[in-house]
Amino acid sequence: MDKFILHGGRKLSGTIFIGGSKNGTLPVMAAALLAKGVTTLLNVPHLMDIRTMSNVLRVIGAQVYGKGSTFKIDASRCNHFEAPYDLVKTMRASFYALGPLVARFHRARVSLPGGCAWGPRPVDLHIKGLAALGADIRTEYGYVEASTKGRLPGGSFEFDTVSVGATANLLMASVLAKGKSRLINTAQEPEIAFLIRFLRKMGACIRETRDGLEITGVRELRPVRMTVIPDRIEAGTFMAAACLAGGRITLKNCPVEDLACAVDVFEKAGARIHASKDSLVLEGPGTVRPLELSTAPYPGFPTDLQAQIMAVLALGSGTSIITDTVYSDRFTHVPELNRLGADITLQNNTAVIRGVRELRGAQVMATDLRASAALLIAGLKAEGKTEISRVYHIDRGYEKIEEKFRGIGARIERIKDESLF
Ligand code: EPU
C-alpha cells in the first residue's frame, strides 16, 4: 500500500485547476444504462471509484471506454442485470445500478453494500422508495432483488431523511415509469441538480415542485453527451489546506455557487476570499478563528468537508465545536489528528476542538477518503515529517492530489508500495 511523506510548514501559493466531480460522475454513469446507444461523458476524473463503477457497468454488459477524461458508455447490449458483492462492497455508489436496471430491464439483483469505515449507512430508503414506485422488492442472502411486470407503475414517496443516493436511485427508476411519480423531501445537492439536467437531456420529464420532484415517465430515453460538473469537495479541500497553511491560492474551474456555505465558513475562520463566476482566490489568515458549525444537507455545510475544516480548526485561537448531523459516526480522523498534536474530544456526534499552538509530524493512517484529506491538510502545516499510510483511500476520490499540492509549493511525495519492502 502506498504512503505519503510530507514535510510541513510551507505556505501554499499558486493556481489549481479543479477536476470533474466524483459524486457527480457516479450517478450519471449509472444513468447511461437507461438508454440504448453510446453516452459520452467529458471531464471525468481518473479515480478508483470511477474505475469501480466502470466495472459494475461492464458486468451488466455495457461497454465502457475511457480516453483521457472522456468516457463512452455503450449500454446497447446489457444482458446481466446484477451488481455483484465484490464490487458493491468496495464502493457503495455501485448501488446506483438498482434504479436504472429496474427502469429499463424491469429486474435487478444488487448486492447490499455491507460495512463501511464509519457509521451505519443503510439503504432502507432506496428499497422502500422503489417499492412505493411499484417494484416487487425483497432482500435475500445479502442481495436486493427487484422486478416489475413491464414498466414500473410509478408512485409517491416521501423521504423521512434527506438522502442523495436514494434520491438519485428513485429518480433514475421513475423516468421510464408508466405513470407519474412524486418524490417528496428530495436531496438538492449540486450532484442531484446535475443528474436532473442529465436525465432531462436524455428526454426525461422532471418537474421541480414546492416540496420535491414530479416525474412523468416516458417510453424511451436517448444517450447524451455531457460535461461533468467540477468537484466542489476537491475545491473545498484545497481551500481548507490554504486556510491552514497560509498563502494565497487561486482555484480555476471552481464551482463557486455550490460552495456558498463553505465560503462563509472559511471567511468566518479568517480567510479572505474573492470569488467570481468560476474562479476563487483564498488568502489564509494569520490566525485561525474558532467556530461553531454543523453539517447539513445542501445548501448546508457538507459532511464531506467536515474532517478538513476540523484539521483547520485544530490550530484555532480558541475552542471550536463541530456537529455532524448527516453522519453521527464520521470521526475516524479524530484520533489521527490527535496523533499530530491536536486536542479534540468527541461527545456523540459533536467534536470539541481546543485549538493548539502547533502540530507536529507523526505517523498516521488514512481511514477513509475525507479523513485522509484532513490528515494531508494537517500534515502540510505540522512541523517536521508526517507519514500517512493507506493512501488508497485518498486515491478513491482525489485525482493527482500530490501533484496538485506540489504545484502550490507543498513538500509531499508518494512512496510506492514496492519500494516499501
Ligand atoms: N440514509 C438512510 N437510509 C438510506 C440512505 C441514507 O437512513 O437508505 C441516511 C444515511 O445514513 C445518512 C443520510 O441518510 O445519515 C444521508 O446519506 P446519503 O444517502 O445522502 O448518502 P450517500 O448517498 O450514501 C452521498 C455521497 C457521500 C456524502 C453523502 C452526504 C456519493 C457517491 N456519496 O452518499 O460522499 O457524504 O451523500 O452528502 O455521492 C464522499 O464523497 O466522501 C462521500 C462519502
Side-chain angles (χ1 to χ4, degrees), residues 35-213:
K36 252 191 203 163
V38 183
T39 293
T40 305
L41 296 174
L42 309 167
N43 198 32
V44 174
H46 277 247
L47 300 169
M48 273 311 295
D49 278 8
I50 302 297
R51 240 186 270 171
T52 305
M53 186 55 102
S54 301
N55 289 336
V56 170
L57 301 183
R58 287 185 182 117
V59 168
I60 290 166
Q63 289 177 300
V64 186
Y65 324 87
K67 195 168 174 210
S69 59
T70 300
F71 266 58
K72 287 188 186 291
I73 300 165
D74 184 349
S76 300
R77 281 182 288 276
C78 298
N79 53 8
H80 185 75
F81 311 116
E82 176 169 323
Y85 174 70
D86 283 348
L87 292 171
V88 187
K89 77 164 192 237
T90 63
M91 187 188 70
R92 256 180 84 79
S94 314
F95 209 70
Y96 280 146
L98 184 63
L101 285 179
V102 174
R104 181 164 157 218
F105 304 104
H106 314 142
R107 62 200 163 111
R109 188 167 183 269
V110 176
S111 169
L112 285 165
C116 174
W118 38 270
R121 296 182 71 188
V123 285
D124 58 314
L125 294 170
H126 301 244
I127 294 172
K128 283 184 212 151
L130 211 47
L133 298 185
D136 291 321
I137 191 157
R138 60 197 167 124
T139 304
E140 226 174 52
Y141 305 114
Y143 275 79
V144 175
E145 295 190 357
S147 61
T148 57
K149 289 194 182 69
R151 287 164 74 194
L152 192 70
S156 269
F157 186 70
E158 179 163 355
F159 295 88
D160 53 18
T161 305
V162 176
S163 163
V164 175
T167 298
N169 236 336
L170 297 194
L171 250 178
M172 292 190 280
S174 61
V175 284
L176 288 175
K178 234 184 296 178
K180 269 199 178 143
S181 302
R182 275 191 74 206
L183 302 178
I184 301 160
N185 195 23
T186 44
Q188 293 168 35
E189 268 64 5
E191 296 76 21
I192 292 291
F194 174 57
L195 174 64
I196 292 174
R197 291 200 297 282
F198 188 88
L199 292 170
R200 280 184 179 145
K201 195 166 178 189
M202 291 179 89
C205 183
I206 303 168
R207 197 168 70 83
E208 274 147 61
T209 60
R210 190 181 40 81
D211 54 4
L213 297 166

